[in-house]
Amino acid sequence: MGVEFPAKPAELFARDREWAALCRFATDQAPGATLGVVTGRRRQGKTYLLRALTQALGGFYFAATEASDSETLRRLGVELGRFLQTPAAMTLRDWHEAFDALLALGRERAIPLVIDEFPYLLAANPAISSILQDALTPLREERETSQSRLLLCGSALSVMGRLLVGSAPLRGRASLELVVHPLDYRLAAGFWNQDDPHTALKVHAVVGGTPAYRREFVRDDVPTDPADFDNWVCRTVLSPSSPLFREARYLLAEEPGLRDASTYHSVLAAVASGNSTRGRIASFVGRKSGDLAHPLTVLEDAGLLRRDPDAFRANRSEFHIAEPLLAFHHAVMRPIWADLEAARDPRDLWTSSQQTFSANVLGPHFERVARQWLRFFAPATTLRRQPTSVLSGTVNDALARTSHKIDIAAFAAADDGGKTLLAIGEVKWGEVVGRPHLDRLQKVKGLLTAAEHRGASDCQLMLVSAAGFSETLIERAANSDELVLVNTTDLYTQLG
């Protein structure tokens, strides 16, 4: 008979999958201590999840801080003494003793033990991973007689990502690797209490799916209706008295691998301005392309930058900012930072930034949401087959000596290991989509067919618009399954 999981706290929005995975790990009745790793960018609710888990199951929670080894061991001894209700703190001379003390907590039952902000421990003592490896060695008595479920948690993705890879000491030791991602755009709409698709998309383009930005940062201040969105932006993210105002800068400052902040801010500003290839980023920053290999890798490892492959050009990729607030900051706020700090009322500055917001933030964000919808949320009947990948790409037109940017390229896996093109599409935020947009897609379809891309001759054409479609397109889509029209309401329609 299986162990019954504790109920998820009522205050915890969504996170059903994460809660179930943690409970399954923490209540595992098999003999022997086990290790789990929990990671994710800051402000996603990892600490809340883990504290709730230890409270529900009578576990032990310890939050590391930036401190010396000896100070941390003293604090851990105090916390262990308090947990065990001993007359005095435990004396821990080194981390060998510390981990054995933690394993001893699981001699009688399966118990979750959390070490939060684990990267702080590694910064003070890089040997800790090796010491923990030794503590969890199979057939070691302290491990075999324990049912401790040790969870290491951290927000420094570059550090946590190296714990279990390659020749790292803890490689092969973990039985749980849980990444706590931001809420997807649909969940975020519910979290921010937005039932209007346009407003939900705009809110998500500014703050993404980070739970703390609503609860702790703006104290549940949400747009009350579509007309309130502009005022909401001015009283939250553009207000110097709001924690959101400087949050994008802190996201970079908190990453241990980012030494030269100015370079990283310039790289992000380049991407936020629409420079998505390495060459264009280098030109914007004023560096040689080869000089940016390290900053780009560091930003990727930190989860702040994402590299997306081109659907039609092998060995070519584009960079996109992974955190919406960073994109908003570098596209909208950074160019007018001094004015925002000095302004009593940011409404005029926000009004003058509307074109930038629409072109550099909303437009690209809408494209990414449309691709995410088609890959994960669209009804199975949207295309003739279910896509296994949805990308963007560039199609060359050698005769016209130009190229065409394609916002959506949907593929299905083929039996021989290749892929078949299912659909190509265009996404527009601020303009009514009409016949010229369809004509462009048909031209690109012809180019792909001539280049003998598999599936190109039969691929469907998809147009996604937040502003609507011409009557001609609506009539054509109703009479042919070649053309698929998608509006913002479709992106939020619940399946089933």
Side-chain angles (χ1 to χ4, degrees), residues 348-359:
D348 289 342
L349 293 168
W350 174 235
T351 298
S352 65
S353 300
Q354 288 297 300
Q355 184 174 351
T356 300
F357 176 59
S358 181

PDB file of all heavy atoms in Angstrom, residues 348-359:
ATOM      1  N   ASP A 348       4.206  60.190 -19.149  1.00  0.00           N
ATOM      2  CA  ASP A 348       4.661  60.733 -20.431  1.00  0.00           C
ATOM      3  C   ASP A 348       5.780  59.878 -21.030  1.00  0.00           C
ATOM      4  O   ASP A 348       5.827  59.647 -22.253  1.00  0.00           O
ATOM      5  CB  ASP A 348       5.149  62.176 -20.254  1.00  0.00           C
ATOM      6  CG  ASP A 348       4.006  63.146 -19.996  1.00  0.00           C
ATOM      7  OD1 ASP A 348       2.842  62.785 -20.282  1.00  0.00           O
ATOM      8  OD2 ASP A 348       4.276  64.251 -19.488  1.00  0.00           O
ATOM      9  N   LEU A 349       6.687  59.408 -20.189  1.00  0.00           N
ATOM     10  CA  LEU A 349       7.762  58.552 -20.666  1.00  0.00           C
ATOM     11  C   LEU A 349       7.214  57.233 -21.209  1.00  0.00           C
ATOM     12  O   LEU A 349       7.687  56.722 -22.223  1.00  0.00           O
ATOM     13  CB  LEU A 349       8.759  58.278 -19.535  1.00  0.00           C
ATOM     14  CG  LEU A 349       9.567  59.484 -19.041  1.00  0.00           C
ATOM     15  CD1 LEU A 349      10.296  59.144 -17.749  1.00  0.00           C
ATOM     16  CD2 LEU A 349      10.547  59.935 -20.116  1.00  0.00           C
ATOM     17  N   TRP A 350       6.216  56.692 -20.537  1.00  0.00           N
ATOM     18  CA  TRP A 350       5.607  55.446 -20.991  1.00  0.00           C
ATOM     19  C   TRP A 350       4.876  55.656 -22.319  1.00  0.00           C
ATOM     20  O   TRP A 350       4.954  54.825 -23.226  1.00  0.00           O
ATOM     21  CB  TRP A 350       4.660  54.912 -19.925  1.00  0.00           C
ATOM     22  CG  TRP A 350       3.849  53.708 -20.320  1.00  0.00           C
ATOM     23  CD1 TRP A 350       2.502  53.574 -20.287  1.00  0.00           C
ATOM     24  CD2 TRP A 350       4.359  52.442 -20.785  1.00  0.00           C
ATOM     25  NE1 TRP A 350       2.114  52.326 -20.700  1.00  0.00           N
ATOM     26  CE2 TRP A 350       3.236  51.611 -21.009  1.00  0.00           C
ATOM     27  CE3 TRP A 350       5.627  51.952 -21.037  1.00  0.00           C
ATOM     28  CZ2 TRP A 350       3.352  50.298 -21.481  1.00  0.00           C
ATOM     29  CZ3 TRP A 350       5.761  50.643 -21.502  1.00  0.00           C
ATOM     30  CH2 TRP A 350       4.637  49.828 -21.723  1.00  0.00           C
ATOM     31  N   THR A 351       4.202  56.800 -22.450  1.00  0.00           N
ATOM     32  CA  THR A 351       3.507  57.094 -23.709  1.00  0.00           C
ATOM     33  C   THR A 351       4.483  57.171 -24.871  1.00  0.00           C
ATOM     34  O   THR A 351       4.229  56.638 -25.958  1.00  0.00           O
ATOM     35  CB  THR A 351       2.736  58.425 -23.585  1.00  0.00           C
ATOM     36  OG1 THR A 351       1.755  58.304 -22.552  1.00  0.00           O
ATOM     37  CG2 THR A 351       2.047  58.776 -24.895  1.00  0.00           C
ATOM     38  N   SER A 352       5.629  57.806 -24.638  1.00  0.00           N
ATOM     39  CA  SER A 352       6.620  57.931 -25.711  1.00  0.00           C
ATOM     40  C   SER A 352       7.328  56.616 -26.007  1.00  0.00           C
ATOM     41  O   SER A 352       8.005  56.496 -27.033  1.00  0.00           O
ATOM     42  CB  SER A 352       7.652  58.997 -25.340  1.00  0.00           C
ATOM     43  OG  SER A 352       8.413  58.607 -24.208  1.00  0.00           O
ATOM     44  N   SER A 353       7.168  55.628 -25.133  1.00  0.00           N
ATOM     45  CA  SER A 353       7.832  54.329 -25.325  1.00  0.00           C
ATOM     46  C   SER A 353       6.916  53.282 -25.934  1.00  0.00           C
ATOM     47  O   SER A 353       7.315  52.122 -26.082  1.00  0.00           O
ATOM     48  CB  SER A 353       8.359  53.809 -23.976  1.00  0.00           C
ATOM     49  OG  SER A 353       9.290  54.694 -23.402  1.00  0.00           O
ATOM     50  N   GLN A 354       5.697  53.676 -26.288  1.00  0.00           N
ATOM     51  CA  GLN A 354       4.728  52.697 -26.764  1.00  0.00           C
ATOM     52  C   GLN A 354       5.179  51.969 -28.037  1.00  0.00           C
ATOM     53  O   GLN A 354       5.005  50.758 -28.176  1.00  0.00           O
ATOM     54  CB  GLN A 354       3.376  53.369 -27.017  1.00  0.00           C
ATOM     55  CG  GLN A 354       2.643  53.772 -25.756  1.00  0.00           C
ATOM     56  CD  GLN A 354       2.292  52.580 -24.892  1.00  0.00           C
ATOM     57  OE1 GLN A 354       1.581  51.671 -25.299  1.00  0.00           O
ATOM     58  NE2 GLN A 354       2.828  52.565 -23.685  1.00  0.00           N
ATOM     59  N   GLN A 355       5.778  52.699 -28.969  1.00  0.00           N
ATOM     60  CA  GLN A 355       6.218  52.062 -30.216  1.00  0.00           C
ATOM     61  C   GLN A 355       7.317  51.041 -29.941  1.00  0.00           C
ATOM     62  O   GLN A 355       7.319  49.938 -30.498  1.00  0.00           O
ATOM     63  CB  GLN A 355       6.711  53.118 -31.210  1.00  0.00           C
ATOM     64  CG  GLN A 355       7.083  52.522 -32.566  1.00  0.00           C
ATOM     65  CD  GLN A 355       7.437  53.587 -33.594  1.00  0.00           C
ATOM     66  OE1 GLN A 355       7.248  54.780 -33.365  1.00  0.00           O
ATOM     67  NE2 GLN A 355       7.951  53.156 -34.734  1.00  0.00           N
ATOM     68  N   THR A 356       8.248  51.410 -29.061  1.00  0.00           N
ATOM     69  CA  THR A 356       9.317  50.472 -28.690  1.00  0.00           C
ATOM     70  C   THR A 356       8.752  49.247 -28.000  1.00  0.00           C
ATOM     71  O   THR A 356       9.154  48.111 -28.282  1.00  0.00           O
ATOM     72  CB  THR A 356      10.335  51.164 -27.769  1.00  0.00           C
ATOM     73  OG1 THR A 356      10.913  52.269 -28.449  1.00  0.00           O
ATOM     74  CG2 THR A 356      11.431  50.203 -27.355  1.00  0.00           C
ATOM     75  N   PHE A 357       7.809  49.455 -27.093  1.00  0.00           N
ATOM     76  CA  PHE A 357       7.186  48.347 -26.378  1.00  0.00           C
ATOM     77  C   PHE A 357       6.494  47.398 -27.352  1.00  0.00           C
ATOM     78  O   PHE A 357       6.628  46.172 -27.259  1.00  0.00           O
ATOM     79  CB  PHE A 357       6.185  48.889 -25.360  1.00  0.00           C
ATOM     80  CG  PHE A 357       5.419  47.828 -24.621  1.00  0.00           C
ATOM     81  CD1 PHE A 357       6.075  46.869 -23.858  1.00  0.00           C
ATOM     82  CD2 PHE A 357       4.027  47.798 -24.687  1.00  0.00           C
ATOM     83  CE1 PHE A 357       5.361  45.887 -23.175  1.00  0.00           C
ATOM     84  CE2 PHE A 357       3.306  46.820 -24.001  1.00  0.00           C
ATOM     85  CZ  PHE A 357       3.983  45.868 -23.249  1.00  0.00           C
ATOM     86  N   SER A 358       5.777  47.953 -28.306  1.00  0.00           N
ATOM     87  CA  SER A 358       5.047  47.129 -29.257  1.00  0.00           C
ATOM     88  C   SER A 358       5.986  46.367 -30.187  1.00  0.00           C
ATOM     89  O   SER A 358       5.817  45.161 -30.410  1.00  0.00           O
ATOM     90  CB  SER A 358       4.095  48.007 -30.078  1.00  0.00           C
ATOM     91  OG  SER A 358       3.365  47.221 -30.998  1.00  0.00           O
ATOM     92  N   ALA A 359       7.007  47.066 -30.703  1.00  0.00           N
ATOM     93  CA  ALA A 359       7.887  46.450 -31.709  1.00  0.00           C
ATOM     94  C   ALA A 359       8.918  45.514 -31.101  1.00  0.00           C
ATOM     95  O   ALA A 359       9.185  44.428 -31.635  1.00  0.00           O
ATOM     96  CB  ALA A 359       8.591  47.540 -32.512  1.00  0.00           C
TER      97      ALA A 359
END
